Amino acid sequence: MQVQNNQACGEYLFLTEEEDAKKAYIELINQTARAIAASIDDARAYVGLSPQELKEKIKVGKILPESGKGLEALSDLLSEKILPYFLRTPSTDYMAHLHGPSLLETLAGELVLSTFNQSMDSWDQSPVATEIEVEVIKTLCQLYGYADDSDGVFTSGGSQSNLMGLMLARDWFCNTRLKHDVKKLGLPENYRKFRIYTSAISHFSMEKGAHLLGLGYDAVVKVPVDRYQKMDMVAFKRLVEEDLAQGNIPFCAVATIGTTDYGSIDDVVQMHKICQEHRMWLHADAAYGSGVIMSLGYKDRIGPLNLCDSITVDFHKMFLMPISCGAYLVKDGKNFEPLTLHADYLNREEDEEDGYTNLVGKSMQTTRRFDALKVWLSFQIRGKDGWSQIVSTCIQNATHLYNAISSSPRFEAVTEPEISSVVFRVLPAKRAATCDAEIDELNKKVRRALIHQEGVVIGQTVFDQKVFLKFTLLNPRITYDKLDGMLELIQSLADKV
């Protein structure tokens, strides 16, 4: 059937210049926005259903029926099957993981970039989007202390940025030290001896990246941490020297700027010294801690990241933007060369000579979203002062929570937070008669009771082979009173379960 006048079976397909299509678009967006707002009818982070109950609630006759229900069914479908059961990350009862609420202006940005559906691989697919991303990358490089010859690109998030960091480190090392071009020739014969050094509690994307690069998990040397959950610098230096003595090839180290559980920050200055001594690439995985740069009072905690050869930045964590939104920054923009490949249908050389920027030459992705818009909007709207208040509040909340936990005999914390995560466990009233296994079960039961009885979602992890709970405090609306009340609730549940 031929589709005419932007309609098929009576339904508008797209937003076009036609007035009726514009009206349909506005009505649909407004209707959806009203349904979303109406679904948030209390302060809970989750409605509380179990997995089995949730499976029943979302059932429909057929996912793909013989005849469509039409756009008029959209609001009912969302309101009945989806919206009531969403996890509400804007709730102050959500403190579980490293993603949180999304700033209002970034939601507007999502609407714009989704509506126009730009792809960031070539200028002719995304003219204004390309120019905005270029300018935002320049600003980010300056923000983290890089010089004018630096560069960067937006990514899907921390894992992709870390993979790029490891890949460009490998190619830089092979090109400069081994005089071997991996891009043309593949891995060198001695690739099994390549070594990457990272904290014992670093993100799992290090092992995953080593696998994808053909180096394997065994290439990743996990360096022990100290009692503050930071990389042990003495152990790092020793492990590098031991590998060299054994004929292995250290080529890259990764400083974790905010570990996933504890928010602990590795010593960039000391790592840089060791990497310089052994001519290694230093990458900063700042997926979590990159946001601390926005705090006027706490930004020094992450150290001088401009010492690193590359930096992972993640905006859907502490920067409070919708998933996905990340960036990879590199000190010397020339190191993007391994990703460059020209295609006549995409990034023609003559276009680039005439000033058309095609960003595909810096990216592992071809089709890519215009995520830089969200950063551009939020930076403009909040400014340095607004951002400092947001990030500083989250850090101060973590300090308050840690102090409250440390002063109570019913709780035990792992380490004082540097960013906004607090790992702790609740203890039974009669601890002397209780073994660690029973305390583990108690904490597991408390977390489940919080989810299904109270609609409160917090994290759970393991420290020293024991079960601990975790608050990841990314919501600046959380108050000290709220945190004190949460500890009272956890203690109350521990006495009941």
Side-chain angles (χ1 to χ4, degrees):
M1 179 182 68
Q2 186 176 9
V3 178
Q4 295 180 342
N5 298 324
N6 200 37
Q7 287 184 282
C9 302
E11 300 292 347
Y12 282 93
L13 291 173
F14 314 116
L15 172 62
T16 71
E17 76 285 355
E18 297 174 8
E19 288 303 317
D20 286 346
K22 292 179 181 180
K23 290 178 183 178
Y25 173 82
I26 293 170
E27 182 179 348
L28 190 69
I29 297 301
N30 287 339
Q31 183 183 72
T32 304
R34 286 193 294 269
I36 292 170
S39 72
I40 305 177
D41 53 4
D42 58 44
R44 292 180 300 171
Y46 179 58
V47 70
L49 296 181
S50 68
Q52 294 76 20
E53 292 168 332
L54 188 57
K55 290 178 190 296
E56 289 299 316
K57 289 288 187 181
I58 65 169
K59 280 185 177 178
V60 293
K62 287 183 178 180
I63 297 293
L64 181 62
E66 296 299 323
S67 297
K69 297 179 179 181
L71 284 175
E72 62 270 16
L74 178 65
S75 182
D76 288 342
L77 287 170
L78 290 174
S79 298
E80 293 174 9
K81 296 296 182 181
I82 303 297
L83 294 175
Y85 315 117
F86 255 124
L87 187 72
R88 300 171 185 171
T89 54
S91 168
T92 57
D93 282 345
Y94 180 73
M95 310 177 191
H97 299 287
L98 279 172
H99 74 284
S102 298
L103 295 166
L104 286 176
E105 66 271 17
T106 65
L107 299 179
E110 280 284 334
L111 176 59
V112 173
L113 69 91
S114 296
T115 298
F116 289 99
N117 203 31
Q118 311 287 279
S119 180
M120 301 299 300
D121 37 331
S122 62
W123 193 94
D124 62 0
Q125 296 181 76
S126 53
V128 69
T130 294
E131 301 300 343
I132 288 289
E133 177 166 323
V134 169
E135 292 303 312
V136 172
I137 287 294
K138 288 180 183 177
T139 297
L140 293 174
C141 287
Q142 294 168 0
L143 185 65
Y144 291 98
Y146 278 169
D148 290 343
D149 55 353
S150 59
D151 204 349
V153 69
F154 271 74
T155 68
S156 63
S159 291
Q160 186 186 359
S161 294
N162 287 336
L163 176 59
M164 290 183 70
L166 297 182
M167 187 197 76
L168 294 186
R170 179 201 65 187
D171 283 31
W172 164 83
F173 183 87
C174 288
N175 284 328
T176 60
R177 296 285 302 277
L178 305 182
K179 308 304 178 185
H180 178 92
D181 189 348
V182 176
K183 183 176 178 178
K184 294 181 179 179
L185 304 173
L187 293 173
E189 292 183 2
N190 57 355
Y191 76 92
R192 293 184 185 276
K193 295 181 179 293
F194 282 19
R195 294 294 180 266
I196 302 162
Y197 301 85
T198 184
S199 161
I201 55 174
S202 63
H203 194 258
F204 69 86
S205 57
M206 302 307 154
E207 286 92 339
K208 182 177 285 188
H211 168 213
L212 293 172
L213 294 175
L215 304 178
Y217 287 2
D218 288 348
V220 181
V221 180
K222 304 304 285 280
V223 182
V225 296
D226 60 22
R227 64 191 182 95
Y228 301 107
Q229 310 309 309
K230 302 168 179 282
M231 182 187 285
D232 185 324
M233 291 298 116
V234 174
F236 173 38
K237 184 176 178 62
R238 174 177 52 79
L239 287 168
V240 171
E241 291 172 349
E242 287 177 356
D243 272 323
L244 286 168
Q246 294 167 12
N248 292 321
I249 305 174
F251 78 94
C252 178
V254 179
T256 304
I257 311 301
T259 56
T260 304
D261 277 339
Y262 313 104
S264 45
I265 299 168
D266 291 339
D267 189 335
V268 168
V269 173
Q270 292 303 315
M271 292 187 72
H272 176 256
K273 289 180 180 178
I274 295 169
C275 287
Q276 286 291 99
E277 179 183 352
H278 298 288
R279 298 171 65 190
M280 297 163 58
W281 181 287
L282 178 58
H283 172 67
D285 175 12
Y288 182 4
S290 52
V292 179
I293 198 74
M294 307 301 280
S295 169
L296 297 177
Y298 298 102
K299 62 182 180 180
D300 290 343
R301 288 189 176 185
I302 60 176
L305 297 191
N306 60 340
L307 294 177
C308 302
D309 295 289
S310 56
I311 306 170
T312 285
V313 182
D314 204 335
F315 296 100
H316 54 242
K317 291 184 171 63
M318 205 166 196
F319 281 94
L320 305 179
M321 299 188 192
I323 298 168
S324 61
C325 194
Y328 172 76
L329 309 178
V330 63
K331 181 184 287 188
D332 184 350
K334 293 178 182 176
N335 285 311
F336 270 125
E337 194 280 332
L339 288 168
T340 302
L341 184 65
H342 286 280
D344 290 336
Y345 58 84
L346 191 61
N347 56 336
R348 293 162 292 276
E349 290 182 341
E350 66 266 24
D351 284 352
E352 294 179 358
E353 290 170 358
D354 290 337
Y356 294 86
T357 300
N358 298 310
L359 296 177
V360 71
K362 298 189 295 185
S363 177
M364 299 185 74
Q365 298 169 269
T366 304
T367 302
R368 190 164 56 83
R369 304 173 81 244
F370 178 27
D371 288 317
L373 175 62
K374 294 176 284 191
V375 180
W376 188 84
L377 286 171
S378 70
F379 279 18
Q380 287 283 299
I381 287 168
R382 304 290 165 176
K384 288 184 177 180
D385 54 349
W387 269 109
S388 181
Q389 183 176 358
I390 288 171
V391 175
S392 298
T393 296
C394 296
I395 295 172
Q396 291 160 3
N397 278 339
T399 299
H400 174 84
L401 178 63
Y402 173 79
N403 290 337
I405 287 170
S406 300
S407 64
S408 171
R410 289 298 304 274
F411 295 98
E412 176 185 348
V414 172
T415 188
E416 186 172 359
E418 291 186 277
I419 308 181
S420 61
S421 292
V422 182
V423 178
F424 68 100
R425 64 177 181 167
V426 61
L427 304 172
K430 298 179 180 179
R431 185 182 179 188
T434 309
C435 66
D436 281 329
E438 291 175 334
I439 298 175
D440 288 351
E441 287 302 311
L442 174 66
N443 281 269
K444 291 178 183 179
K445 289 178 180 178
V446 166
R447 189 182 72 91
R448 289 280 180 88
L450 285 169
I451 296 174
H452 299 299
Q453 296 175 26
E454 306 293 335
V456 174
V457 186
I458 68 171
Q460 178 181 310
T461 189
V462 174
F463 171 74
D464 194 24
Q465 299 182 323
K466 303 180 185 73
V467 173
F468 276 73
L469 304 175
K470 180 175 69 168
F471 278 18
T472 306
L473 302 172
L474 297 182
N475 190 333
R477 292 182 58 246
I478 294 173
T479 63
Y480 291 173
D481 287 343
K482 175 70 176 184
L483 294 171
D484 294 341
M486 287 296 300
L487 292 182
E488 291 176 5
L489 175 60
I490 288 172
Q491 185 173 317
S492 173
L493 290 173
D495 293 338
K496 294 177 183 178
V497 296

